[in-house]
Amino acid sequence: MHPHITMLDDASFESVVSNGAKPVLVDFWAAWCGPCRALASLFEEVASSHHASVQFAKLDIDANPMSASKYNVMSIPTLLLFKEGEVIASKVGLLTKSQLVAFLESHI
């Protein structure tokens, strides 16, 4: 996996999004989701360039349905940006790299 992306599960989710010193961007995804796979490489690129200001994380919704349900993730990919455990912004669907960067930079 990518060195700047944390893989989450239901057990670790709350502690990671609540205890970080910086905002946490979580990618809710699934292996069978084509747009999720397309977003994965962009997510990695942006994680490489923005990891100093944002923590990047991924959650497989099939293996971890409790966290997806708690945050009402109905379609994927869904990106949720957390600050001090609270969702401060969200995006649903496939983004371009420039859209992803603009989304992040407008909220950090």
Side-chain angles (χ1 to χ4, degrees), residues 1 5 27 35-45 58 94:
M1 194 63 218
I5 298 175
D27 175 15
C36 298
R37 290 193 304 273
L39 181 63
S41 61
L42 300 176
F43 195 77
E44 289 178 3
E45 285 180 44
K58 293 177 74 80
L94 182 58

Side-chain angles (χ1 to χ4, degrees), residues 19-88:
N19 298 329
K22 51 191 173 183
V24 181
L25 182 64
V26 180
D27 175 15
F28 290 81
W29 68 283
W32 50 263
C33 168
C36 298
R37 290 193 304 273
L39 181 63
S41 61
L42 300 176
F43 195 77
E44 289 178 3
E45 285 180 44
V46 176
S48 293
S49 61
H50 286 72
H51 68 274
S53 56
V54 177
Q55 180 177 353
F56 290 80
K58 293 177 74 80
L59 180 88
D60 179 342
I61 65 162
D62 287 338
N64 302 283
M66 288 176 20
S67 296
S69 176
K70 178 177 180 178
Y71 291 99
N72 297 315
V73 173
M74 299 296 174
S75 58
I76 51 173
T78 290
L79 299 175
L80 296 182
L81 184 61
F82 291 84
K83 189 167 190 177
E84 297 172 359
E86 299 294 322
V87 177
I88 61 167

